[in-house]
Amino acid sequence: MKKIVVLATGGTIAGASASVGDGVAYRAGEVPVSRLLAQVPGLEQLLGDSKLVAEQVAQVNSKDMDYGLWQALALRCVHWMAQDDVSGLVITHGTDTLEETAWFLQRMLDVAPLAQVLTTAQARKPVVLSSAMRPSTARLSDGPQNLADAVSVLQDTRASGVLAVAAGHVHAARAVHKVQPYRVDAFSSGDAGLLAHVEEGRVRWLRDPGMTGEPDVLATAQSAKTLWDCMRNPETAWPWVEVLVSHAGADGRNLRACLQAGVQGVVLAGSGNATLHTGIEAAASTLMQQGVPVWRTSRCLEGSAVAGAESVVPLAMCGGQVLRPMQARTEMVLQVLAGVRP
């Protein structure tokens, strides 16, 4: 019998409110995973011959996501994915930082075979992040449907890598980002597009969920081993990497202040095609001369920056594609942690 493992971390999907009509003033991370699963109608039919195993990893509001929980998630993913009878994982997660956790897990599982913590086949098992915009106590909570859809995606043989499933849509870890603070359909994949729709328990794929692109700097045995050694060490000193925004009237004081305070990396969310105010550009040049990595990307909600514009600051690239600001920050954290010079 195959197993599907649910790792619960809290979030709105596990939120509780005093009133069924209140979808805003609630406490995230209150309801245990056993109760969440009990709220999914027809779950046994969806599972078919598979068995569900649930584990409460944490109970947090995802706005408070931290590195310690990231480490715990990475290790629990490896623990379960290494077992032959486990076909995939569901991670219940808050929406606020879901895009950061998704990219973190995608990158860690990308390099797991190189670090010999998983085989290539094990690392390809799907990991689906499931979330909700309404607490579990809401009159029409979206959590149960999103959980059911996550199970449906895991049951599909084409699913692989780290995915996010919400409002009937399947997003890739590279592209997913939150664009709405309240609506149930809160996520977008921009012009990269959705991977699939979940319709009546069936997955209709729009494109291949497999990761594509050029080899990247983390894809070496040494960097992979260094990363996983850090994951196993509870005393790991995580690097300080900031995201700063280029805007009208910017003069670079924020970058210079960060340099003086010991920042170890900066991602600049530039205007338009990742363009930077002259004050920001000058300050960024100073940081780079001091050995602090600085990347730029676009603050625009849709689309991706296009290479070619003049700047001393390189674009935030991975696998031949420009990353969004929050994924770029996560990527820089991992590269600094791995001892790779970004």
Side-chain angles (χ1 to χ4, degrees):
M1 180 179 289
K2 289 290 185 179
K3 294 177 185 174
I4 290 175
V5 178
V6 180
L7 302 178
T9 69
T12 297
I13 193 170
S17 174
S19 168
V20 296
D22 196 339
V24 177
Y26 59 87
R27 299 177 308 280
E30 291 284 318
V31 179
V33 64
S34 57
R35 281 175 52 193
L36 291 183
L37 296 173
Q39 293 175 350
V40 182
L43 182 58
E44 290 186 2
Q45 288 77 12
L46 279 175
L47 289 170
D49 294 331
S50 296
K51 175 184 177 183
L52 203 63
V53 177
E55 179 180 325
Q56 193 79 52
V57 178
Q59 277 283 40
V60 299
N61 186 320
S62 78
K63 70 179 179 61
D64 298 320
M65 182 60 61
D66 59 28
Y67 294 132
L69 183 44
W70 271 5
Q71 284 178 280
L73 271 177
L75 294 176
R76 297 315 292 164
C77 285
V78 164
H79 168 80
W80 288 109
M81 293 170 79
Q83 299 185 26
D84 291 338
D85 60 348
V86 171
S87 57
L89 310 178
V90 174
I91 298 175
T92 60
H93 197 289
T95 58
D96 285 355
T97 57
L98 182 144
E99 63 204 76
E100 297 169 66
T101 298
W103 186 245
F104 165 75
L105 289 175
Q106 178 68 69
R107 300 298 281 136
M108 292 305 302
L109 297 176
D110 276 347
V111 300
L114 290 167
Q116 298 183 339
V117 296
L118 290 174
T119 67
T120 300
Q122 289 167 341
R124 285 178 180 155
K125 293 179 182 179
V127 177
V128 178
L129 276 72
S130 182
S131 58
M133 289 297 290
R134 296 171 180 166
S136 67
T137 53
R139 183 179 294 111
L140 294 173
S141 175
D142 52 327
Q145 184 64 60
N146 288 343
L147 274 171
D149 288 347
V151 170
S152 295
V153 171
L154 284 183
Q155 301 279 53
D156 193 287
T157 56
R158 287 187 61 183
S160 66
V162 179
L163 311 170
V165 177
H169 297 156
V170 183
H171 304 266
R174 181 191 292 274
V176 67
H177 57 288
K178 189 174 180 179
V179 295
Q180 286 286 345
Y182 179 75
R183 296 177 189 171
V184 170
D185 192 4
F187 291 103
S188 172
S189 285
D191 60 0
L194 296 172
L195 287 177
H197 297 288
V198 186
E199 300 164 341
E200 297 297 318
R202 295 184 178 182
V203 184
R204 177 164 60 88
W205 294 98
L206 305 176
R207 58 190 179 94
D208 191 338
M211 292 286 286
T212 59
E214 303 165 5
D216 63 82
V217 296
L218 294 182
T220 68
Q222 183 56 54
S223 59
K225 182 180 184 303
T226 300
L227 274 178
W228 279 101
D229 286 346
C230 290
M231 290 306 108
R232 296 186 182 99
N233 181 8
E235 304 301 320
T236 290
W238 289 74
W240 174 24
V241 176
E242 279 295 330
V243 176
L244 300 175
V245 179
S246 181
H247 53 79
D251 58 13
R253 276 180 291 180
N254 51 359
L255 273 81
R256 292 190 290 271
C258 285
L259 176 62
Q260 291 178 352
V263 76
Q264 294 166 271
V266 175
V267 173
L268 296 172
S271 51
N273 190 33
T275 56
L276 303 175
H277 191 287
T278 54
I280 290 281
E281 184 105 17
S285 180
T286 299
L287 264 70
M288 294 167 67
Q289 291 170 13
Q290 296 293 320
V292 177
V294 183
W295 292 344
R296 63 187 171 93
T297 184
S298 177
R299 70 187 195 190
C300 295
L301 290 179
E302 302 294 338
S304 177
V306 179
E310 287 189 14
S311 177
V312 299
V313 181
L315 286 169
M317 303 285 292
C318 180
Q321 299 182 40
V322 181
L323 296 174
R324 300 192 56 77
M326 301 319 298
Q327 279 97 341
R329 178 190 171 277
T330 302
E331 180 69 20
M332 185 178 283
V333 165
L334 292 178
Q335 289 194 21
V336 173
L337 202 59
V340 176
R341 181 175 175 80

